[in-house]
Amino acid sequence: MMRLPWFEFRAPSSVAEAARILAAEGPDAMPIAGGTDLLPNMKRRHQTPRTLVSLRRIESLKKVSNGAGLTLGAGLTLTEVIHEPKAQPYGALRQAAAQVATVHLRNMGTLGGNLCLDTRCTYYNQNYEWRKAIDFCLKKDGGICWVATASKRCVAMSSTDCAPALIAIGAKAKLVSATDERELALESLYNNDGIEYLKRRPDEILTEIRLPPAAGWRSTYWKLRRRGAFDFPVLGVAAAARFAKDGTVEEARIALGAVASRPFLVPKAAEALVGKKLTDDVIAEAATLAASRAKPMDNADLDLYWRKQVAADFVGYALRELRGDDMRGTRLRIARQIL
Amino acid sequence: MKVIGKPRRRVDGWAKVTGRTRFADDIVLPRMLHMKLLRSPLPHAEIEAIDVSRAEKLAGVQLVLTGKDFPVTFGIMPVSQDEYPLASDRVRFVGDPVAAVIARDEQTCTEALDLIEVKYRPLKTIATPEEALATTEPRIHEYGPHGNIHRLQAHEFGDVEEALGSSDYVFEDVFFYEGNTHLAIEQQAAVAALEDAGGLVLYSSTQNPHYLHRELARVLQMPASRIRVVATPNGGGFGGRCDPANHEMVVAKAALALGRPVKICLSREEVFYVHRGRHPVLMKFRTGVTKDGRLTGIHLQTLLDGGAYGSHGAASTFYTGVLTPTTYELPRFKFEACRTFTNKPPCGPKRGHGTPQPRFGQEVQLDKIAEKLGLDPAEMRLRIAVKPNSLTANWLRIGSAGLAECIRQVVERSGWKEKFRKLPEGRGVGLACSAYMCGAGLPIYWNKMPHSGVQLLADRSGQVTALCGATEIGQGSDDVLAAMVAEVLGIGAEDVRVLTGDTGLTPVDLGSYSSRVTVMMGNAAIQAAEALKARIAEAASEQFQVAPNRLEFANGRVFLAADASKGMAFREAIELAEAKFGTLGSVGSYRPPDPPGRYKGAGAGPSPAYSYTACVVEVEVDRATGWIAVPKIWIAHDIGRVINPVLARGQVVGSVYMGLAEALMEEQVFRRLPPKLSNALVHKFPSLLEYKSPTSLDMPEVETVFVEDPDPNCPFGAKEVGQGPLLPVPPALANAIYDAVGVRIDELPITPDKVLRALEKKAKGEEPRVGPEHFPAVPYPEPVVVPPPWEGGDGNAVKGAGPKVKVPA
Ligand SMILES: Cc1cc2nc3c(=O)[nH]c(=O)nc-3n(C[C@H](O)[C@H](O)[C@H](O)COP(=O)(O)OP(=O)(O)OC[C@H]3O[C@@H](n4cnc5c(N)ncnc54)[C@H](O)[C@@H]3O)c2cc1C
C-alpha cells in the first residue's frame, strides 16, 4: 500500500459542529471514527477525501442509555460494545462484534464505522498499482465489473458483521445532519449496490443505534470465514426469535450478511418458524429457504459454490443454538473460539 | 556439557523483545534519501519507450534510474544470470521493476512514479506450465533447452521399468502442490551509503550477504573489495532473501551516483512480487512394492512452474526429486524433472526447498500402499526406514538416521494404535515422515574454499568475540555460534560477543540456506575455539606445571581436571596467553566432505548429514460441510543433538505451523481476466489479509519430541531443525483426512470445498478423490544412467553424460 494521501484533519467535539463541517465541505469530506476501514482504503486510493472529520472527540456518540430497549452510541468501540453489560441480552450483537477483525482493530473500530463499512471485493480491495494492472473496475476508476462482466451494477459485498446481527434484533439507526435528523429501520439504511451501498447522505452522521427491548427474545450470529481472526465474513447468519413458554416461536427474524451488497432479512424463512417448535424438520425447512437467498459472488475468499452450499448448514447452526442446543463444540471448530 | 543442550534465553532475545534490535528499516543516516520502484503493470511486454522527464522535474526528486543504467545481468545461480536490476527492453511479470525514483521522501517518490511514462508492446502471456510447454514463441527468455522450458533433467539409478515389472503391485498417482510464499513479517528493506574511505556499504535484510556481495560487484562493475554488505537481523527469511534482489542493486547504484545514503523499504505487495517462494509442482509417482510393503523402485516425474526468472530454479528442479531415496530403502530410482518459465513472480527456495512437494506425494502414496496391502502405515514405514551409514540409490551418504525412533515416538505419544482406523466417523489420524539435508554439500558457485569460516578474538579484558559471515534470520544462528564457542572455552554463551553477516568484517559463510548454518558454522566455530583454547591452555598450564591437556575449561574458569581447586579465572588465563603469544586470535573453517556420486548432477542432494522427522496429525472433518479442524499434532525430530532446546522447539513448532499453513490455506495464485477484455495476469491477493495463513487461534497444540542420535559429521552431533520438520506435516494431514472420512485429497491446499466435493463423489459411488487427473507429456531428455551402489557402480554415469534435449515435433 502507499502512504496516506494528504488531507485536512478536523476534530470537532459535538455532532452539530461535525455536521456543520460536513455540510460546508460537501462530499469531499468524510467522517472518520476508528479509521480501521477508511485509512487502509485511503492508502489504496479508494477514497481520497480532502477533509477528514474525526468523530472520536464527540462524547455524545459514546453514550449507552436505557429506554424502551437500549440505545448505543455509534462512537462506541466494538470492544466497548462487547463488554457493555446492558448489551448482554442481545447475544447476536455481542457474538458479531466479538468476531470482527482482531482485538486491536476492535479496540479502535466503532459500531458506527462497522455499520457504514465500505463494501468489499477482491478486485477492489487491492492497492493502486494492482488495480491499474487490471485497468481498474466499476467500483472505482474503471468501467467493468470483473466479477460479472455483463453487470451494470457493482456487486461488491457488504462485509459488516454487526449489521445483520442488529437487523435480526430489529434495530433502528439515527442519522443527523446540519439541517435535519431521521430514524430508519437499520435494514433500510442499505442499498443492494456495491457503490451506493448506503442510503446515508454524505452530510449525515450516524449517531445512535436503537435496539428494541430484549425481553423474551434470543438471538445469535454465525460467521463463516477461513480463520479464527482477521477475516471479514463471507457469510453471516443472524437469527432472533421470541419463544412462548412451551418453545413455540412467536416471532422471528433471520438476516444474512456478506452474500449481497447489503445485509438483508429473509422474511419467508422467519415465517416458516412462527407458530412452530424448532424441530429438526422445521429448522431444515427454514434453513433451505434462507439459504436460497444467499447469492455469493466470486469476489471473496473461499470457493463460491461451496459458500452457497453451506449457507443452509450455517442457518441450521444458528437455529439450533436458538433452540437451546449445546453448540459449543461446533462453534469452537468454526469460530476457533467459544463466544 | 554446560551450555549445549541447556534451555537458555537466546543471546539476541533481550534486544529483540525490548525493540533495540536494528532491522534494516530502523537504519536512518544523515542526508538519507528514499527510493521507490516503478513496477510493470503488464505480465509480458516489450518496453518501447520510457519517458522520465516529468518525474525528474518534480520538486524533491534527486535521480531517476532506468534499465539503461544497468547493462549487466545477475542471478543467484551461475547458470541463470537472467535478471536486470531494472528491466531495459522486456517485462516478464506484473511487478517486474522498470524504473526507480530517488527523492527526499517516499511520498515524493510515489508521486514521481506516476509521472513516468512507459510505452509497452504487450506480448502473449504464458500463465501455466502447460501453456509454457505448448508455447514455443514468444520465449520469456532466450536461453534454456527450447521454448519456455527453463530446465530439463533425467536420471536413472538402476532399471526402474524392470523393477516395476517384477513388483507385486505398482501404484501410479498424480499429485499437485500449490505454490506459496514465505510470508516473513518483516518486509525487505535496504540502505546503501558510501563509507568514509569511499567504498560502498549496503545494509540489507538478506539471508546471503556473501552471494549478494558477489552479485553487487558484478552488476556495479566494481571490485568486491570496495563493497561491504551488512546483513541486518532479519524478521524472518524462510528462503525469501536468498536471492540477490533488484532493489538491493538499484539502491546501491543510487547511493554511488548521488554520494548520499539511500533507503528502500518494500511494501507488502512488493514482497509478494519479489517472491522466490515455493514452486507449484505437478508430480507423478509410479512406485513398485512387494506384498510385504518393500519398495522395489520409484519412477518420479515432476513439472515445476518457475515463474518469470531462473532464480534458484536449477537447484529447485533437482530438489523435487533427489531426496526421495533418503527416507526409505529404495533399490532403484528414476527421476525426471522440468521447470518452465511463466509470466509470474519467480519461484525459488522456500523452507524445504523443492522437497516438501515430492514428500507430500510420496508419503500420501505410501498411505495408499499400506491400505491396499492391509498394513499399518507406521509398521510398514518402520520396516523400510533407511539404515544408518548407508548409501542411497542415487549415491547420497546417510550417516546417523533416527527415523525409526521418531516413528516409535509419535506412534506411542499420539495413541496411534488405539486411534488409526478406530476413531469415530469424522475423526482421524494420519502419519508421515521425512528426511532433510543439513547443508548443501556444494556451494552455489563452484570453488574449493571453505563454506564457513569463524574467527575468534580474545583479549586481556576477558572478552571473546566470534566473527562469522553467517546470517541471523530469526532462526537463532547467533545463539548457536555463541553456544558452540562458549562450550569449548568453558564460559557462558552470554560471555561471547557475536558479530555476524558483515562481508567487511567477518569471514565468509555462504549464508542462511539449506539448513547449513548450525552444521557448517558450528564445525568452523569448534575448530577456531579449540585452537584458541589450546593456546590458553598452553599458557595456563605453565602456572601449574602440568601438560595442557590436564586442564579443564568450565564455569568461566581454567583448572586442573584432577583438582578443581587449583585454577584461575578464564580472564586470567587469557592474560597469560596474551603475554606468552601476543595478540590472541584464531580461525576455523569448514568444507563438507566430497560427495560419493560422480555423475553429472551428483552435486544436488549430498549433505554432511540428514535429519529425520515423523509426524502424526489428528483431524476432525465435518461431513456436511467438509470443514476441517486440527486439534493436535505430534512430531518427533531426529536432531542429532539439541543445542538450545528453546530455539529447537521454536523451529519445530514454526515448521509445523508453516507446513499446516501450506496444507490448509496458503496459495500464491493468480488471476486472469476474460481474455477478450484484458490480458492481465495478476497475483490474486498480494496482501497479508487475503493471502491466508493460520492465526494463533487456528494453530493446534503441538507435542514436540527430540530424538538425539549425534552425527559424527556435525558439531557436538547437532543436525538441522529449521526445515525438516515442515515436510511431513502436509502429507500427515492428508492421510488423517482419509482416516477421518475416507476421501483422498491429492493436492494442496486441502480446503473444505475439496473435501466436500470428494465426499459427494464418494456418496455417488465414484472414486472418492480430488486431485490432478493427468500428467502432461513433457519432453524429458534421455536419462543419465548411473548404477546404484549395490549394482556394481562406482558413482559414475554409464550412459548419457548430461541432459540432451528432445525437441517436440
Ligand atoms: C484486517 C481487518 C479485518 C477486518 N475484519 C472485519 C470483520 O471481520 N468484520 C467487520 O465487520 N469489519 C472488519 N474490519 C473493518 C473494520 O475494522 C470494522 O468494520 C470497524 O468496526 C470499522 O469501524 P471504524 O470506526 O474503524 O470505521 P472507520 O474506518 O472510521 O469508518 C468506516 C466508514 O464509515 C464511515 N463512518 C464511520 N463512522 C460514521 C458515523 N458515525 N456516521 C457516518 N459515517 C461513519 C466512514 O466515513 C467510513 O466510510 C476489518 C478491518 C481490517 C483492517
Side-chain angles (χ1 to χ4, degrees):
Chain A
M1 285 193 273
M2 296 177 177
R3 305 273 162 181
L4 282 171
W6 296 110
F7 55 86
E8 194 185 325
F9 186 74
R10 310 283 292 271
S13 54
S14 72
V15 171
E17 198 186 338
R20 257 199 316 276
I21 301 172
L22 286 177
E25 298 277 321
D28 269 355
M30 285 182 83
I32 178 166
T36 61
D37 182 49
L38 186 52
L39 295 177
N41 281 359
M42 287 168 64
K43 290 182 179 177
R44 300 186 202 100
R45 303 297 185 264
H46 292 157
Q47 286 97 33
T48 45
R50 203 183 51 218
T51 306
L52 285 183
V53 183
S54 171
L55 306 178
R56 279 169 65 91
R57 291 224 188 129
I58 306 178
E59 282 306 315
S60 66
L61 290 180
K62 295 187 174 257
K63 268 210 291 245
V64 180
S65 51
N66 282 73
L70 179 69
T71 301
L72 295 171
L76 292 166
T77 66
L78 295 172
T79 300
E80 285 164 345
V81 170
I82 296 163
H83 297 294
E84 171 54 48
K86 298 194 190 90
Q88 296 311 308
Y90 302 94
L93 174 61
R94 189 180 43 77
Q95 289 168 335
Q99 291 186 80
V100 170
T102 65
V103 179
H104 308 80
L105 289 159
R106 293 194 294 270
N107 288 344
M108 285 300 287
T110 64
L111 184 59
N114 188 263
L115 297 178
C116 297
L117 184 70
D118 196 2
T119 53
R120 297 183 63 83
C121 173
T122 39
Y123 292 93
Y124 169 68
N125 294 102
Q126 302 274 4
N127 71 335
Y128 180 75
E129 288 86 1
W130 190 99
R131 291 187 294 121
K132 202 169 174 179
I134 62 159
D135 206 11
F136 302 99
C137 78
L138 190 56
K139 184 159 159 77
K140 178 71 181 155
D141 304 328
I144 296 177
C145 171
W146 294 110
V147 184
T149 46
S151 176
K152 298 246 171 338
R153 180 176 71 80
C154 163
V155 299
M157 201 166 97
S158 167
S159 303
T160 150
D161 280 303
C162 294
L166 284 166
I167 288 172
I169 288 169
K172 294 193 161 74
K174 186 172 163 191
L175 295 168
V176 175
S177 74
T179 51
D180 59 2
E181 61 178 70
R182 56 185 176 130
E183 190 175 89
L184 67 174
L186 184 59
E187 195 199 8
S188 36
L189 179 62
Y190 301 99
N191 284 320
N192 197 23
D193 182 316
I195 299 170
E196 298 297 332
Y197 62 98
L198 285 182
K199 293 211 177 87
R200 171 190 159 262
R201 298 193 313 263
D203 66 336
E204 282 180 315
I205 298 166
L206 174 63
T207 55
E208 286 173 5
I209 323 299
R210 295 216 179 127
L211 285 65
W217 285 83
R218 254 183 269 161
S219 66
T220 179
Y221 179 74
W222 283 75
K223 172 175 182 173
L224 171 61
R225 59 171 161 183
R226 182 100 64 146
R227 306 175 291 183
F230 286 99
D231 294 340
F232 283 90
V234 293
L235 166 69
V237 176
R242 188 159 55 80
F243 291 91
K245 286 225 165 51
D246 68 348
T248 305
V249 175
E250 293 178 336
E251 211 182 326
R253 279 186 290 267
I254 296 176
L256 298 182
V259 286
S261 296
R262 60 171 181 144
F264 58 89
L265 285 166
V266 192
K268 274 221 176 70
E271 281 156 25
L273 304 175
V274 175
K276 296 176 195 153
K277 291 186 181 155
L278 294 184
T279 61
D280 287 353
D281 288 346
V282 169
I283 288 177
E285 191 202 338
T288 312
L289 282 169
S292 70
R293 293 284 314 280
K295 301 262 156 41
M297 293 291 216
D298 191 13
N299 60 354
D301 186 32
L302 290 167
D303 181 77
L304 160 70
Y305 302 100
W306 180 79
R307 267 152 54 205
K308 168 102 184 135
Q309 231 177 334
V310 302
D313 296 277
F314 274 70
V315 180
Y317 301 152
L319 295 178
R320 277 156 57 198
E321 187 165 295
L322 284 190
R323 177 169 75 183
D325 289 13
D326 182 355
M327 296 298 289
R328 282 175 298 178
T330 310
R331 184 71 94 169
L332 188 60
R333 281 191 290 277
I334 304 274
R336 317 274 188 221
Q337 56 202 297
I338 305 272
L339 289 162
Chain B
M1 281 191 272
K2 300 282 192 221
V3 180
I4 303 298
K6 302 282 186 301
R8 282 180 301 102
R9 179 182 287 161
R10 56 190 293 166
V11 294
D12 56 346
W14 192 254
K16 280 195 170 141
V17 298
T18 55
R20 269 192 285 114
T21 301
R22 277 213 280 161
F23 295 97
D25 188 14
D26 295 321
I27 296 173
V28 176
L29 298 175
R31 301 181 70 235
M32 188 171 85
L33 297 165
H34 295 263
M35 183 176 107
K36 282 253 164 231
L37 296 172
L38 180 72
R39 293 176 181 270
S40 168
L42 296 183
H44 199 189
E46 270 171 16
I47 299 175
E48 291 187 327
I50 304 186
D51 182 356
V52 300
S53 54
R54 286 174 60 216
E56 281 174 334
K57 283 185 205 117
L58 185 74
V61 170
Q62 297 279 340
L63 180 67
V64 180
L65 293 168
T66 61
K68 70 175 170 19
D69 299 301
F70 294 95
V72 182
T73 58
F74 69 97
I76 181 74
M77 307 292 288
V79 293
S80 45
Q81 305 259 316
D82 58 2
E83 298 186 57
Y84 286 95
L86 295 172
S88 54
D89 53 1
R90 177 90 77 100
V91 289
R92 296 179 170 89
F93 69 98
V94 172
D96 218 357
V98 175
V101 171
I102 296 92
R104 64 180 167 218
D105 53 32
E106 280 196 352
Q107 198 81 307
T108 309
C109 292
T110 307
E111 282 163 32
L113 290 183
D114 238 12
L115 300 177
I116 298 175
E117 278 160 47
V118 188
K119 230 173 110 203
Y120 294 104
R121 191 174 72 80
L123 296 169
K124 182 174 183 235
T125 303
I126 294 152
T128 64
E130 288 78 2
E131 284 176 30
L133 290 175
T135 312
T136 42
E137 287 290 336
R139 297 182 75 184
I140 295 175
H141 288 283
E142 290 306 317
Y143 76 105
H146 61 85
N148 285 293
I149 293 178
H150 173 215
R151 301 284 291 181
L152 275 176
Q153 65 200 37
H155 286 85
E156 182 158 19
F157 306 94
D159 188 338
V160 168
E161 281 313 315
E162 190 216 53
L164 298 187
S166 57
S167 300
D168 294 329
Y169 298 96
V170 175
F171 288 78
E172 185 172 318
D173 289 283
V174 185
F175 298 97
F176 179 64
Y177 199 114
E178 185 56 274
N180 49 60
T181 202
H182 316 86
L183 219 68
I185 292 301
E186 181 205 21
Q187 295 156 206
Q188 286 97 311
V191 180
L194 297 189
E195 292 205 288
D196 296 345
L200 173 79
V201 57
L202 177 72
Y203 303 91
S204 186
S205 41
T206 173
Q207 295 181 237
N208 293 348
H210 173 67
Y211 294 130
L212 175 58
H213 189 205
R214 288 171 56 85
E215 294 302 300
L216 273 174
R218 176 186 157 97
V219 164
L220 302 173
Q221 294 172 287
M222 246 172 97
S225 56
R226 304 261 302 148
I227 302 174
R228 174 179 166 207
V229 176
V230 182
T232 50
N234 284 250
F238 314 113
R241 295 106 189 262
C242 282
D243 283 39
N246 309 62
H247 69 269
E248 293 170 320
M249 308 287 161
V250 181
V251 82
K253 176 96 183 185
L256 284 172
L258 292 166
R260 287 175 67 173
V262 183
K263 177 186 207 170
I264 180 165
C265 303
L266 299 189
S267 69
R268 178 56 64 181
E269 290 89 353
E270 290 181 289
V271 176
F272 279 100
Y273 296 151
V274 172
H275 189 46
R276 323 285 151 154
R278 183 92 65 228
H279 283 77
V281 178
L282 185 66
M283 54 209 141
K284 179 166 153 189
F285 278 87
R286 285 169 66 228
T287 301
V289 289
T290 62
K291 281 197 290 290
D292 58 348
R294 296 191 172 278
L295 304 177
T296 57
I298 291 181
H299 178 196
L300 169 61
Q301 294 176 310
T302 64
L303 177 61
L304 293 79
D305 183 347
Y309 290 96
S311 179
H312 279 73
S316 319
T317 309
F318 275 109
Y319 286 131
T320 61
V322 293
L323 298 184
T324 302
T326 52
T327 31
Y328 309 109
E329 288 176 320
L330 178 65
R332 289 181 178 176
F333 179 48
K334 181 173 182 184
F335 168 45
E336 296 169 304
C338 170
R339 183 180 192 261
T340 55
F341 284 126
T342 53
N343 293 118
K344 298 187 287 194
C347 299
K350 180 184 170 189
R351 210 172 193 172
H353 194 186
T355 307
Q357 297 97 320
R359 275 293 180 251
F360 170 70
Q362 189 184 8
E363 292 289 319
V364 171
Q365 192 183 49
L366 273 181
D367 207 61
K368 298 183 184 186
I369 292 172
E371 160 150 74
K372 172 93 180 204
L373 301 182
L375 300 171
D376 178 284
E379 288 296 323
M380 186 180 94
R381 285 178 171 86
L382 274 174
R383 244 183 268 165
I384 60 175
V386 86
K387 298 275 182 304
N389 306 314
S390 57
L391 281 173
T392 65
N394 59 341
W395 292 85
L396 303 181
R397 188 184 303 287
I398 307 292
S400 66
L403 178 58
E405 183 54 23
C406 290
I407 296 174
R408 281 191 283 270
Q409 285 287 342
V410 291
V411 161
E412 161 88 28
R413 286 168 192 255
S414 66
W416 172 263
K417 296 218 167 76
E418 296 76 52
K419 287 180 176 164
F420 180 67
R421 299 287 189 266
K422 294 191 183 110
L423 287 172
E425 178 69 31
R427 287 178 55 197
V429 286
L431 180 137
C433 301
S434 186
Y436 200 67
M437 42 190 221
C438 305
L442 267 69
I444 280 179
Y445 63 98
W446 199 89
N447 73 80
K448 285 186 148 182
M449 291 173 280
H451 290 212
S452 187
V454 169
Q455 182 175 13
L456 296 179
L457 309 174
D459 70 31
R460 60 197 85 176
S461 66
Q463 72 181 357
V464 176
T465 304
L467 301 106
C468 178
T471 311
E472 175 60 73
I473 57 171
Q475 87 280 41
S477 60
D478 280 0
D479 187 78
V480 168
L481 177 57
M484 301 261 174
V485 172
E487 183 67 45
V488 174
L489 296 179
I491 54 181
E494 64 288 351
D495 299 327
V496 180
R497 173 177 299 120
V498 291
L499 208 164
T500 52
D502 182 333
T503 66
L505 297 178
T506 60
V508 171
D509 175 277
L510 296 182
S512 284
Y513 67 97
S514 89
S515 274
R516 53 176 296 289
V517 180
T518 292
V519 172
M520 302 203 190
M521 173 191 75
N523 279 327
I526 291 174
Q527 194 183 66
E530 291 289 359
L532 181 63
K533 182 181 174 181
R535 296 211 135 183
I536 299 170
E538 193 179 331
S541 63
E542 287 172 1
Q543 292 283 306
F544 305 108
Q545 301 189 338
V546 296
N549 65 7
R550 304 274 298 281
L551 292 180
E552 201 162 298
F553 286 58
N555 303 324
R557 291 182 74 242
V558 178
F559 52 89
L560 292 191
D563 179 0
S565 70
K566 291 217 175 69
M568 63 184 83
F570 180 71
R571 185 185 54 75
E572 293 170 69
I574 290 191
E575 277 180 12
L576 294 175
E578 197 177 335
K580 181 172 170 71
F581 296 108
T583 300
L584 289 177
S586 69
V587 291
S589 54
Y590 179 76
R591 184 169 174 269
D594 287 333
R598 278 176 268 170
Y599 55 91
K600 183 157 192 236
S607 176
Y610 296 87
S611 74
Y612 287 86
T613 320
C615 173
V616 169
V617 172
E618 185 164 336
V619 294
E620 298 169 352
V621 181
D622 186 307
R623 299 195 121 263
T625 61
W627 191 257
I628 304 159
V630 180
K632 186 156 179 182
I633 293 180
W634 295 262
I635 185 156
H637 182 69
D638 163 25
I639 191 173
R641 179 178 321 266
V642 177
I643 304 292
N644 182 347
V646 183
L647 287 182
R649 197 169 299 272
Q651 286 299 314
V652 175
V653 176
S655 295
V656 169
Y657 168 83
M658 197 172 263
L660 196 63
E662 297 185 10
L664 290 173
M665 297 184 191
E666 291 197 18
E667 31 182 6
Q668 167 112 341
V669 285
F670 296 82
R671 238 188 223 292
R672 232 181 187 165
L673 298 181
K676 267 194 219 134
L677 298 171
S678 163
N679 64 2
L681 176 68
V682 284
H683 190 294
K684 200 168 171 196
F685 27 54
S687 100
L688 259 186
L689 175 60
E690 295 299 338
Y691 176 96
K692 304 297 181 190
S693 188
T695 71
S696 54
L697 285 171
D698 306 292
M699 189 60 188
E701 183 187 345
V702 179
E703 187 173 325
T704 307
V705 186
F706 287 112
V707 170
E708 298 196 64
D709 178 4
D711 190 287
N713 278 346
C714 299
F716 299 106
K719 302 200 277 192
E720 73 90 35
V721 63
Q723 308 193 73
L726 180 151
L727 279 62
V729 179
L733 178 90
N735 294 341
I737 286 184
Y738 182 75
D739 189 41
V741 287
V743 301
R744 290 285 177 195
I745 312 298
D746 286 343
E747 65 178 43
L748 294 187
I750 299 178
T751 50
D753 57 293
K754 291 179 190 171
V755 174
L756 191 57
R757 217 179 331 138
L759 283 166
E760 285 168 354
K761 285 175 146 188
K762 192 179 173 195
K764 282 192 237 154
E766 295 167 19
E767 192 194 2
R769 171 184 182 270
V770 166
E773 298 296 337
H774 79 286
F775 193 89
V778 179
Y780 295 117
E782 285 299 323
V784 177
V785 176
V786 186
W790 40 86
E791 291 184 25
D794 63 356
N796 277 299
V798 295
K799 219 173 90 191
K804 283 197 203 78
V805 179
K806 287 186 290 188
V807 181

